Amino acid sequence: MPDATDTEGLTVGQVSARLDVTVRALHHWDEIGLARPSLRTAAGYRLYTAGDLERLHRIVVYREIGLGLDRIRAVLDDPTADVPGALRAQRTQVAERIDRLQQLSAGLDRMIDAHERGLLLTIEQQAAIFGPEWNPDWLTEARQRYGDTTQWRQYAERSASRGPEEWQAIAEAMTGVERALGEAMDAGVAPGSPEAHHIVERHREVFASYFPLTREMQVCLGRSYEADPAFAAHYDGIRPGLATWFRQSIDASARDHGIDPDTATWQ
């Protein structure tokens, strides 16, 4: 390697700063023979010439578009290498990567919206799916009340991947459960009976479309169904006294699974 005065060429540190490449990477490229500095000072320090810097520029560009070091070496050193062909192939891969990133970005936007709004449905879609009793303001209230909970995060993550058809299916399933509750009460089904247990389990499974619902959490919901005026009005509107019958049925099912409803907590 030719000697040079200290004023000729660029040091590893200077090249690192100029090209925004780590000193470690420059040393590695030197070790594998990909880009070696052409000069050395009398003190033994490596120096890069203008020609070395031009090669390094090309290496940096090729690396940024995704070429591996072996492929870069071939493009730079093989006179028969099909450089345009290699770049076109890399351009195709970059385009595919951009498409994947755009899809990821769109998915993140939906996730953010779901966390902030709860439902990614228009007001009209909500009314058509959930019926005339549905109030879109309930979502805002739920976000304000439960937005920091694990259950809201689970609900939002599921909501982000659902469209109107999925929500329609869930709404119909819940309507089916409520219809079964009313019919069971009409038929004189007693809380704690196998028939009542079956309906309670159906309710838990359908409700789990929103977020995982443990039996203890279901007990807490049952209390709300009976004690909350809005919930009680909804269930008693299906059948008078249904809110209490449903809460009693949930409690009986919980006892059957070793849970004391009086001490159940939201967990």
Side-chain angles (χ1 to χ4, degrees):
M1 179 179 293
D3 291 337
T5 67
D6 290 340
T7 59
E8 293 177 326
L10 296 173
T11 66
V12 172
Q14 290 171 324
V15 171
S16 171
R18 181 170 296 192
L19 299 183
D20 194 22
V21 176
T22 66
V23 170
R24 181 178 180 180
L26 292 171
H27 284 319
H28 177 62
W29 297 347
D30 181 8
E31 291 169 0
I32 65 175
L34 179 61
R36 286 176 172 159
S38 299
L39 300 177
R40 188 181 293 273
T41 67
Y45 294 107
R46 298 178 177 86
L47 294 177
Y48 291 87
T49 65
D52 298 334
L53 199 61
E54 180 181 349
R55 181 180 177 90
L56 283 168
H57 270 296
R58 295 179 69 190
I59 292 171
V60 170
V61 170
Y62 290 153
R63 189 180 66 161
E64 286 182 349
I65 64 173
L67 290 180
L69 295 182
D70 290 340
R71 189 66 176 134
I72 292 173
R73 187 198 303 275
V75 169
L76 294 178
D77 297 339
D78 183 356
T80 65
D82 180 10
V83 177
L87 295 179
R88 288 191 185 96
Q90 195 61 29
R91 182 180 61 188
T92 299
Q93 293 183 27
V94 169
E96 292 172 351
R97 192 180 312 148
I98 290 172
D99 183 60
R100 290 195 298 271
L101 290 173
Q102 288 175 335
Q103 293 179 28
L104 176 60
S105 178
L108 288 171
D109 286 341
R110 285 184 61 83
M111 189 72 74
I112 291 168
D113 285 348
H115 274 275
E116 292 178 345
R117 294 166 47 198
L119 281 175
L120 303 186
L121 300 172
T122 65
I123 299 299
E124 293 74 18
Q125 288 172 328
Q126 293 177 40
I129 292 171
F130 301 115
E133 293 183 359
W134 176 258
N135 183 352
D137 292 339
W138 289 340
L139 290 172
T140 302
E141 296 170 4
R143 173 69 179 86
Q144 293 171 346
R145 186 173 182 180
Y146 304 111
D148 294 330
T149 66
T150 298
Q151 286 72 39
W152 179 268
R153 290 192 291 271
Q154 293 168 331
Y155 166 70
E157 288 165 5
R158 296 180 182 195
S159 178
S161 63
R162 287 177 179 155
E165 296 80 8
E166 290 86 354
W167 281 117
Q168 183 70 53
I170 292 170
E172 290 174 357
M174 187 58 75
T175 298
V177 169
E178 293 177 347
R179 184 184 306 113
L181 287 169
E183 292 172 351
M185 188 176 177
D186 287 345
V189 172
S193 66
E195 294 86 349
H197 285 349
H198 176 71
I199 298 174
V200 167
E201 191 61 22
R202 273 185 63 193
H203 169 266
R204 196 168 69 88
E205 291 173 356
V206 173
F207 195 96
S209 300
Y210 304 111
F211 53 80
L213 187 71
T214 66
R215 288 187 171 85
E216 286 199 64
M217 292 163 68
Q218 190 180 29
V219 168
C220 296
L221 278 181
R223 293 177 194 155
S224 297
Y225 292 159
E226 184 180 37
D228 183 275
F231 280 130
H234 172 74
Y235 283 101
D236 289 345
I238 298 172
R239 295 292 191 284
L242 183 59
T244 296
W245 184 91
F246 191 19
R247 192 269 304 163
Q248 292 172 344
S249 296
I250 291 173
D251 287 355
S253 177
R255 290 191 191 94
D256 224 36
H257 288 87
I259 298 168
D260 182 358
D262 294 332
T263 60
T265 57
W266 188 263
Q267 63 180 13

